[in-house]
Amino acid sequence: MAGLTDKCAITGIGETEYSKNSGKSVAALQMEASLKAIADAGLKPTDIDGVIPYGNMEMVAEDFITNLGLPDLRYSAVTPLGGASAVAAIQAAVSAVASGIANNVLIPIGRNGSSGQRIGARAGEMPQFRLIGEFEMPQGNIAPPQLYAHMARRHMELYGTKSEQLAEIAVSTRANAILNDNAVMTKPMTIEDHQNSRIISDPLRLFDCCLESDGAAAVIVSGSDRAKDLAQKPIYIMGVGEGHPDSPSTITQRPDITTLGTAKAAPRAFGMAGVSHKDIDVAEIYDCFTYIVMCQLEDLGFCKKGEGGDFVSNGRIARGGELPINTHGGLLSQSHIVGMNHVCELVKQLRGSAGKAQVANAEIGLVTGYGDMGDGSVAIMRN
Amino acid sequence: MTELDYDKPMPPLNRDSKPFWDSMKEHNMRLQRCVGCGKIRHYPRPVCDSCYSMEYDWVRASGKGKVHTWTVSEHAFHPGFLAALPMTLATVELEEGVRVCAQMRDVEPGQMAVDMAVELGYEDTGANFTLPVFRPA
């Protein structure tokens, strides 16, 4: 696997406007983001010979051939890991490009998650949640804020983690969104605001939960040899990994419900990249819930299991802190674009084009995906 | 009441788990046990992940367990549960080593604690299936 290090780069990124009501079809959103990413790279649509559509299958490879006039698509795959799909798709794209199957792989994600069918309402219809649908939804244990609350409560009871520590994540993420021209939530938030937000499913409050949004984002993965001749500074992919937890479909039956698939993915990604945690200048951490950010930081190895609450406190994860995270405002405050907005943000940070939220001298960064009740994915990149 | 009047999600029919739901209707929860190695597993499925045997039988659950974790929901996510709010949902580890997710009864949210001893109960839904609940032991 070490043979994949730096073999590929992100050469283009594209994002639509993020909103609560796009007024556009999912197809139009995804094509707009794709065309932007292709143009950003300095490529033509006809240069795209691989595509990894999002695993909810609203858009399939055929849609991209048809809309973009792709003359010879050589590679298509789907990475059905929910919110971990975007970063897992980078792993799939790297393996396809490094092995010579394809040259430029397009990875688009987009949906009308706010104005269309709400994301939380869909889980029971998805095959990976069949067991929850049979054994937990009839009890009232239905939506991610409830399912993840079981994890968060256990973490709090075992390690003394506090809601005020989760609040630190929500507050620093909001502060970053305020600097972002393409963020949905731009009203300042304090720890007190978080503590006053209503309980959804204890211990998770409203401000522990991400947005549901409309919009699309896309990236292009190309071979490093060709990336140098394209329009942007290549952002090299040093290491990637995906991991699936034990009992992946049901949190309830997981032997250790405070550990995510991220714990399996992280050593692979760090090992492939050949870097250590202190080398990471900026991190974009999938943030469907504040708790999931804290848990991933533990599973990534930035701190020990149980120490995440202290780790995220005292400004460590804010801009100017030791490990700035979610510099774009994340799913909590920028927009829920299934974490492809996190990938785009990391690329911007490493290009030095992240605007007001730019982390000074960011050279190496990390991005995670997380989803489907526990799947994790990790990519480490450099400029 | 019939299935048509029931206002909450119902478990879809599943050949692998039918004996479990049948046992619930009899107020006598049975768990799937591997004939090959004796491992008890839940939720029901066709293969033992320890010895890969596809043969299994069903053993009666003791109904004794302890709280592994819980949440108190103040948002229903389904209109059928609005009247139940706030709703304490527990993940309970049974003596047999598997976990069951169910609503708590006869408990104040402040009483909940990891490892609290609980006992299994049964509630007929009126829609031709029975759900587990737990009470403090």
Side-chain angles (χ1 to χ4, degrees), chain A residues 191-274:
Chain A
I191 301 281
E192 194 179 24
D193 292 335
H194 173 281
Q195 291 296 294
N196 289 334
S197 69
R198 66 190 170 93
I199 297 271
I200 301 298
S201 198
D202 178 80
L204 299 179
R205 297 174 177 277
L206 180 66
F207 288 172
D208 290 308
C209 305
C210 65
L211 309 171
E212 295 188 305
S213 312
D214 290 6
V219 301
I220 313 285
V221 173
S222 309
S224 294
D225 47 344
R226 301 179 76 247
K228 291 190 282 287
D229 303 324
L230 297 181
Q232 303 289 343
K233 178 196 285 189
I235 301 303
Y236 295 99
I237 299 158
M238 305 176 75
V240 284
E242 76 173 58
H244 301 255
D246 303 330
S247 184
S249 299
T250 61
I251 294 159
T252 303
Q253 304 295 335
R254 190 167 300 159
D256 176 3
I257 73 168
T258 64
T259 296
L260 310 171
T262 314
K264 298 181 185 179
R268 289 194 272 273
F270 275 99
M272 193 190 298

Side-chain angles (χ1 to χ4, degrees), chain A residues 81-92:
Chain A
L81 287 82
S85 296
V87 175
I90 293 174
Q91 175 176 262

Side-chain angles (χ1 to χ4, degrees), chain A residues 134 136 150 201-202 253-254, chain B residues 17 21 43 69 71 73 99:
Chain A
E134 180 172 356
E136 300 187 11
H150 290 258
S201 198
D202 178 80
Q253 304 295 335
R254 190 167 300 159
Chain B
S17 59
W21 289 111
Y43 303 130
T69 186
T71 181
S73 290
R99 300 196 194 127

Side-chain angles (χ1 to χ4, degrees), chain B residues 40-77:
Chain B
I40 291 174
R41 62 183 189 256
H42 196 55
Y43 303 130
R45 51 188 180 268
V47 181
C48 174
D49 68 350
S50 285
C51 76
Y52 319 118
S53 170
M54 294 185 75
E55 285 187 56
Y56 51 83
D57 57 13
W58 298 86
V59 295
R60 183 174 183 182
S62 70
K64 294 190 172 75
K66 54 187 187 177
V67 171
H68 189 72
T69 186
W70 74 93
T71 181
V72 183
S73 290
E74 298 190 13
H75 189 90
F77 296 100

Side-chain angles (χ1 to χ4, degrees), chain A residues 2 29 64 70 132 137 156 173 177 179 202 210 221 225-227 231 254 262 268 273 323 349 353 359 380:
Chain A
L29 290 169
F64 293 91
L70 307 182
I132 296 174
M137 292 185 182
M156 287 178 164
T173 306
L179 300 178
D202 178 80
C210 65
V221 173
D225 47 344
R226 301 179 76 247
R254 190 167 300 159
T262 314
R268 289 194 272 273
L323 182 69
Q349 286 285 345
S353 65
V359 172
I380 297 170

